[in-house]
Amino acid sequence: KIKDRDLKVRFLTKFINCIALHLNVTIAARPAKIVAGLEPELTNEMLQYLAFACSRGDSADAVRRVLNGEEQGSGGGQRPAANSPRDDG
């Protein structure tokens, strides 16, 4: 069990970055706010991206990139993925 708040925030930071890098999107959810139970709309959006990412193939590259210290937004030009939860069409 992850009990320490800082560990939860670090885990969620990597988790969110992995989803974002896998889908090439920027996810607005903030780990500290998730742990505090705040911003449920953004947490829900992140969970929708997670569900979408699960159907998008192998995420091994995204995991490797996150473990090497890469974060969302560091690649520049990121946008919502086609058919993502943010896609209006």
Side-chain angles (χ1 to χ4, degrees), residues 12-44:
L12 284 169
T13 299
K14 288 181 181 181
F15 185 72
I16 291 169
N17 282 326
C18 189
I19 297 167
L21 291 173
H22 182 56
L23 296 177
N24 194 34
V25 297
T26 299
I27 297 175
R30 296 179 287 182
K33 298 290 185 176
I34 293 172
V35 171
L38 304 172
E39 299 182 343
E41 305 85 12
L42 295 178
T43 301
N44 185 44

Side-chain angles (χ1 to χ4, degrees), residues 22 53-63:
H22 182 56
C54 288
S55 67
R56 300 294 288 181
D58 188 7
S59 61
D61 182 58
V63 171

Side-chain angles (χ1 to χ4, degrees), residues 1-15 31-33 35-36:
K1 255 183 169 175
I2 301 176
K3 292 184 178 182
D4 181 55
R5 182 183 185 282
D6 291 333
L7 288 176
K8 290 178 184 180
V9 170
R10 286 200 321 250
F11 170 80
L12 284 169
T13 299
K14 288 181 181 181
F15 185 72
K33 298 290 185 176
V35 171

